[in-house]
Amino acid sequence: MTLTAVANEIMERLPGWRAEVIHGQLLISPLRDASHACALTNLLVRFAAGGLHGTDTDVLQNVGLWLPTGAEDYAIPDLVIVDADIDDHLVENNCYAPACFRLVLEVTSSYRTTDLLIKVSAYAAATIPVYVIVDREQRRLHVLTAPVGDEYTDHRVHAPGEVVSLPESIGTEVSLDVDEILKG
């Protein structure tokens, strides 16, 4: 049985749980809590208010991202900003080619090292232009840009009280208030 088949079986048997294959490893994440959902909703509302949903781009949750790091590798980011023609980029297993992803965002949960280490190299290798991490435990917002190889050359960490401007490459100019994002 392939890792993809095992991952799909896990998600079928455990609704709400997430199974991903990154660097040839099966990663399982439990059902998210209300604080996690609140952070995602705040971001989704902010991105939609900024005009990023429904025109040239869409703001989506839990969309499969096919990764170039292994034969079966894929991730399911919490939130993404993608080109509106995402359906033209379907690879397999409900995962889409990295070329249509403008931003990938993760809100940390109990396995925060996955978001802060493992996914950084995978998303950089996929040349995702902007990777945002909402670190609820450390109360920080990480913005990673300029992927080269399997790393991002620009990694900025922002604290509560700061307002962060995201690169216009996501589709428009959007600023995030770190306090607003971290509340919930």
Side-chain angles (χ1 to χ4, degrees), residues 31-47:
L31 185 65
R32 306 309 197 257
D33 62 20
S35 176
H36 186 278
C38 186
L40 280 177
T41 300
N42 289 341
L43 286 154
L44 188 132
V45 168
R46 179 68 193 105
F47 290 144

Side-chain angles (χ1 to χ4, degrees), residues 76-146:
I76 306 171
D78 289 327
L79 191 73
V80 297
I81 297 175
V82 295
D83 293 338
D85 68 348
I86 186 172
D87 290 331
D88 296 339
H89 299 275
L90 181 64
V91 178
E92 64 181 84
N93 197 42
N94 289 325
C95 294
Y96 298 86
C100 66
F101 288 76
R102 296 183 184 202
L103 176 143
V104 167
L105 185 140
E106 299 283 4
V107 176
T108 61
S109 53
S110 54
Y111 302 108
R112 62 188 281 276
T113 56
T114 299
D115 297 328
L116 293 166
L117 297 174
I118 296 169
K119 289 185 178 182
V120 170
S121 64
Y123 293 158
T127 63
I128 302 301
V130 181
Y131 177 28
V132 176
I133 305 165
V134 179
D135 185 346
R136 296 184 302 156
E137 183 178 310
Q138 296 297 315
R139 301 202 36 80
R140 297 289 184 264
L141 183 77
H142 299 252
V143 179
L144 296 86
T145 58

Side-chain angles (χ1 to χ4, degrees), residues 163-182:
V163 175
V164 180
S165 293
L166 296 177
E168 287 187 37
S169 63
I170 66 171
T172 191
E173 187 176 315
V174 173
S175 295
L176 301 177
D177 181 323
V178 178
D179 285 320
E180 279 293 309
I181 301 307
L182 291 172

